[in-house]
Amino acid sequence: MTKSLNTDYFFDEAAYNTHDGGYVPLAEPKAPQQALRIPPLLKPYKETATDTYYTVEAQAGETQLLPGKKTKTWGYNTSLLGQTLVFAQGKTMHINLKNSLPELTTFHWHGLNVPGPYTDGGCHAPVYPGQTRHIDFKVDQPAATLWLHAHPCPSTAEQVWKGLAALALVTDDHEAQLPLPHTYAYGVDDVPLILQDRRFHEDNQWDYEADYDPDGVQGPTPLINGTVNPYFDVTTQRLRLRLLDGANRREWRLHFSHDLPFTQVASDGGLLPEPVAFTHLMLTCAERAEIIVDFGDVTPGETVTLYSDDVPLVRFRVHEFTPDTAVLPEHLVEIPNPDVTPDMPIRKVVMSGMDETVMMDGKKFGMQRIDAKQQVGNVELWDVTNTNDMDGGMVHPFHMHGTQFLVVSRNGHAPYPNEHGFKDTVGVNPGETVRLKVWFDHTGVYMYHCHIIEHEDGGMMAQIEVFDPQHPQTYKLMDMATLMKAVAEERGIAVKDLHLAGMSSYEKMGMEM
């Protein structure tokens, strides 16, 4: 099945977040162990053979995370994170996006190939308090673990930190026929793990402003599916874990106790062409990995622990299970790999800086500036470079809206073994150039940026217009004055008194958004 066992994290150790001046190490929570929360499936309010209808509501609430007072949190259709949406390939989705928060937000479908900018849900698709926006789209991509999160520049980081992150699972017939662990049920042998971290202040509250760091906000407490110190009762021999790095800044270097091996079968955009065996796996911000863990050699009654570095994240309590003899095929899926459109120059993208100096191609993000154009359907090569040379630099996770790309090479060499499938986010080491093969199936304006969320809020972001020369379009793009006026009114203050966290990076550099 798998030809080799990968035992290292691949990324440059000198650039790990453990070397950051503002690094906040994880610590094992002192709180009692509790059952891992499984985000429930969101129930459609209507469904037919061809169409599915959802209402997704962004709302404020309180969540019991630690003993004592509840923590004030935000979520989708729940108080924290969100209920999981299921998008069946080939069906048309009709979604009401309802904002019950006290300020404007947006609903970004991270990894979903849909028109931009309004359906995609970046900063140009605001939904104001008390209002509902409606979107429709047809699901036309393979099975994958995607996610939904807020994206109102420059407040994306703060809103995600408050809890606005949910899963969206694309399903298809091909994936359903593979011998993956989905025999029992979502939440039984098909289990999501949203990896985040927080700092708890007085009365168990989160304080984004107090924790703010322009290089990314971190906290010492691991929060897995919104659970502090979780355990999971294993009742099947094999588990499919859908891993999402949903943190603002933190990388996760994952391994199981006793280096129990596992097999990665999918990345951001769906199945890998072949399974890849690991004992250690590193995820940068917003990356996803679907892994299969086989507990066949674990004695019932034992506990297997998932760690990040040396800190326990989830304890898997192994119970009696029915033997599972399923074997993964050596080949999982064919990955389309179209030829590059003739005479297309290689597009150069440069991520630079740290702290407030972060930029994309020597500029900070301009909400109404189009930085690049690409014709819909054209296949291009993008060379994405991380020029960091400050204090050893840092890994920048590069994310593109509206498409799934292929990783061609790293500094001219082969990609990492688990980068041969579709991706929408890729970690780029300091001094490294990662070549991508990029094409878009839909027109629109899309953002591309570093997914250390404070970096995108701070200006390491640009936007591309994907156009059809036969059907030119114009788009109404959000502007900073409109945004500031709306948020100031929502908060009951004057515009001159409004300060959003990401603005400090622009102010320090003497720039405007």
Side-chain angles (χ1 to χ4, degrees), residues 108-113 120 146-147 149 151 268 284-288 349 351 360 382 384 396-405 423-428 436 440 446-452 456 460-462 464:
H108 169 50
W109 303 98
H110 183 124
L112 193 63
N113 295 348
D120 170 72
L146 312 180
W147 62 305
H149 64 79
H151 209 309
D268 304 339
T284 65
C285 295
E287 285 191 296
R288 283 91 67 210
V349 176
M351 298 185 289
M360 187 78 78
W382 289 43
V384 180
H396 288 300
F398 176 78
H399 169 56
M400 296 183 69
H401 289 218
T403 186
Q404 293 285 341
F405 53 72
K423 289 185 66 61
D424 54 58
T425 307
V426 61
V428 185
L436 310 176
F440 294 86
Y446 300 101
M447 291 179 281
Y448 52 96
H449 55 81
C450 175
H451 217 288
I452 294 173
E456 64 180 87
M460 191 183 281
M461 182 158 62
I464 184 169

Side-chain angles (χ1 to χ4, degrees), residues 409-460:
S409 63
R410 288 181 173 270
N411 275 351
H413 301 288
Y416 298 150
N418 59 342
E419 292 182 328
H420 294 281
F422 283 126
K423 289 185 66 61
D424 54 58
T425 307
V426 61
V428 185
N429 292 298
E432 185 176 45
T433 295
V434 175
R435 176 164 289 184
L436 310 176
K437 183 177 283 190
V438 178
W439 66 95
F440 294 86
D441 297 323
H442 302 279
T443 57
V445 174
Y446 300 101
M447 291 179 281
Y448 52 96
H449 55 81
C450 175
H451 217 288
I452 294 173
I453 312 184
E454 282 73 17
H455 280 183
E456 64 180 87
D457 278 348
M460 191 183 281

Side-chain angles (χ1 to χ4, degrees), residues 28-74:
E28 182 176 354
K30 294 184 171 63
Q33 293 182 31
Q34 53 186 317
L36 176 72
R37 300 170 191 255
I38 303 297
L41 296 176
L42 181 62
K43 185 177 181 180
Y45 67 85
K46 180 181 177 183
E47 189 161 23
T48 70
T50 58
D51 298 75
T52 302
Y53 300 76
Y54 286 115
T55 293
V56 178
E57 181 180 5
Q59 60 190 65
E62 293 184 324
T63 308
Q64 191 75 59
L65 298 175
L66 293 172
K69 290 195 174 182
K70 292 183 177 181
T71 305
K72 296 183 185 302
T73 54
W74 289 2

Side-chain angles (χ1 to χ4, degrees), residues 224-288:
I224 315 302
N225 291 356
T227 319
V228 177
N229 207 9
Y231 65 84
F232 180 81
D233 287 318
V234 177
T235 57
T236 61
Q237 180 176 324
R238 297 189 307 154
L239 281 186
R240 175 187 191 173
L241 299 178
R242 299 176 184 260
L243 304 167
L244 160 65
D245 183 344
N248 284 41
R249 160 60 185 119
R250 189 174 301 277
E251 302 149 4
W252 302 87
R253 282 171 290 276
L254 304 171
H255 62 97
F256 289 94
S257 50
H258 307 298
D259 283 343
L260 179 71
F262 54 90
T263 303
Q264 184 173 350
V265 295
S267 58
D268 304 339
L271 292 169
L272 296 172
E274 286 85 31
V276 183
F278 284 95
T279 58
H280 293 69
L281 175 67
M282 177 166 152
L283 294 180
T284 65
C285 295
E287 285 191 296
R288 283 91 67 210

Side-chain angles (χ1 to χ4, degrees), residues 57-303:
E57 181 180 5
Q59 60 190 65
E62 293 184 324
T63 308
Q64 191 75 59
L65 298 175
L66 293 172
K69 290 195 174 182
K70 292 183 177 181
T71 305
K72 296 183 185 302
T73 54
W74 289 2
Y76 296 111
N77 301 93
T78 186
S79 65
L80 175 62
L81 300 179
Q83 297 191 33
T84 299
L85 295 99
V86 176
F87 297 154
Q89 186 187 53
K91 294 188 74 171
T92 298
M93 301 293 134
H94 309 270
I95 306 180
N96 297 316
L97 306 171
K98 182 179 180 181
N99 183 6
S100 297
L101 299 170
E103 60 186 61
L104 72 83
T105 189
T106 76
F107 297 73
H108 169 50
W109 303 98
H110 183 124
L112 193 63
N113 295 348
V114 291
Y118 313 123
T119 305
D120 170 72
C123 65
H124 302 304
V127 184
Y128 294 91
Q131 294 189 5
T132 298
R133 176 189 290 271
H134 184 82
I135 60 172
D136 306 284
F137 58 88
K138 186 171 183 178
V139 182
D140 187 20
Q141 63 191 97
T145 299
L146 312 180
W147 62 305
L148 163 67
H149 64 79
H151 209 309
C153 319
S155 299
T156 300
E158 184 171 4
Q159 290 200 1
V160 173
W161 183 258
K162 287 181 176 181
L164 291 181
L167 292 174
L169 310 181
V170 178
T171 61
D172 68 24
D173 292 339
H174 173 72
E175 182 246 21
Q177 293 169 3
L178 290 173
L180 304 177
H182 44 43
T183 303
Y184 293 89
Y186 167 86
V188 178
D189 61 353
D190 184 349
V191 179
L193 291 182
I194 303 171
L195 309 178
Q196 298 179 312
D197 57 319
R198 297 290 187 272
R199 182 184 298 279
F200 290 86
H201 294 265
E202 186 177 359
D203 292 331
N204 294 337
Q205 300 308 307
W206 299 339
D207 189 333
Y208 182 80
E209 186 174 343
D211 293 336
Y212 182 73
D213 182 333
D215 264 340
V217 175
Q218 303 167 78
T221 303
L223 198 69
I224 315 302
N225 291 356
T227 319
V228 177
N229 207 9
Y231 65 84
F232 180 81
D233 287 318
V234 177
T235 57
T236 61
Q237 180 176 324
R238 297 189 307 154
L239 281 186
R240 175 187 191 173
L241 299 178
R242 299 176 184 260
L243 304 167
L244 160 65
D245 183 344
N248 284 41
R249 160 60 185 119
R250 189 174 301 277
E251 302 149 4
W252 302 87
R253 282 171 290 276
L254 304 171
H255 62 97
F256 289 94
S257 50
H258 307 298
D259 283 343
L260 179 71
F262 54 90
T263 303
Q264 184 173 350
V265 295
S267 58
D268 304 339
L271 292 169
L272 296 172
E274 286 85 31
V276 183
F278 284 95
T279 58
H280 293 69
L281 175 67
M282 177 166 152
L283 294 180
T284 65
C285 295
E287 285 191 296
R288 283 91 67 210
E290 296 183 32
I291 66 173
I292 294 177
V293 189
D294 191 327
F295 295 94
D297 292 332
V298 178
T299 302
E302 293 185 344
T303 295

Side-chain angles (χ1 to χ4, degrees), residues 313-424:
L313 302 181
V314 185
R315 291 174 173 85
F316 292 90
R317 300 177 177 179
V318 181
H319 297 261
E320 296 283 352
F321 49 74
T322 302
D324 184 344
T325 58
V327 176
L328 287 175
E330 293 186 5
H331 186 73
L332 297 175
V333 71
E334 287 294 325
I335 303 294
N337 190 10
D339 293 335
V340 174
T341 303
D343 302 321
M344 284 291 107
I346 297 173
R347 191 180 301 276
K348 307 290 187 180
V349 176
V350 176
M351 298 185 289
S352 63
M354 294 167 62
D355 296 309
E356 290 92 352
T357 68
V358 295
M359 288 187 283
M360 187 78 78
D361 295 329
K363 303 184 289 289
K364 285 189 177 293
F365 177 61
M367 294 181 80
Q368 295 197 299
R369 185 184 70 233
I370 300 298
D371 300 282
K373 291 191 176 186
Q374 182 166 329
Q375 185 171 323
V376 67
N378 276 7
V379 181
E380 297 189 9
L381 294 177
W382 289 43
D383 278 358
V384 180
T385 300
N386 175 357
T387 62
N388 274 174
D389 56 6
M390 301 165 56
D391 304 320
M394 61 197 303
V395 178
H396 288 300
F398 176 78
H399 169 56
M400 296 183 69
H401 289 218
T403 186
Q404 293 285 341
F405 53 72
L406 298 178
V407 181
V408 177
S409 63
R410 288 181 173 270
N411 275 351
H413 301 288
Y416 298 150
N418 59 342
E419 292 182 328
H420 294 281
F422 283 126
K423 289 185 66 61
D424 54 58

